[in-house]
Amino acid sequence: MEVPEVPAETARIAHAAFPKGALFIRLRDELGPLLLDQDFTQVYSGRGRPAVAPWRLALITIMQFVENLSDRQAADAVRGHLAWK
């Protein structure tokens, strides 16, 4: 599975909300997707399909570490923080 493009409206709103930028927005803008499902083929079974894309789980874990968040705080950020979307 490829990393989907950020919807144009989401990108527009995020850039408007963070006119000076935000770390994770700048990373995506400058580097593009950092992780792909193919990066995790050796750690996932070839049978079935994981509930969440492996690249997404890894990226959220990195973002959680950078922000020094608990699991609950990271879950809240995934749901509500525009820069994480």
Side-chain angles (χ1 to χ4, degrees):
M1 176 178 147
E2 291 297 316
V3 177
E5 288 294 319
V6 175
E9 187 67 5
T10 301
R12 185 189 69 74
I13 292 169
H15 286 99
F18 298 96
K20 294 183 180 182
L23 174 62
F24 301 124
I25 294 172
R26 285 195 313 269
L27 280 173
R28 174 65 185 238
D29 288 348
E30 293 179 22
L31 301 177
L34 299 176
L35 303 166
L36 302 171
D37 280 352
Q38 295 86 335
D39 298 328
F40 301 93
T41 55
Q42 293 183 355
V43 294
Y44 277 88
S45 170
R47 296 180 353 176
R49 182 174 173 201
V52 177
W55 67 265
R56 193 172 303 233
L57 293 172
L59 186 59
I60 295 302
T61 301
I62 292 167
M63 294 164 81
Q64 178 182 3
F65 176 79
V66 168
E67 298 274 335
N68 194 31
L69 300 177
S70 69
D71 290 345
R72 183 174 303 270
Q73 290 170 318
D76 289 341
V78 167
R79 284 190 298 274
H81 199 291
L82 185 59
W84 281 41
K85 299 202 179 308

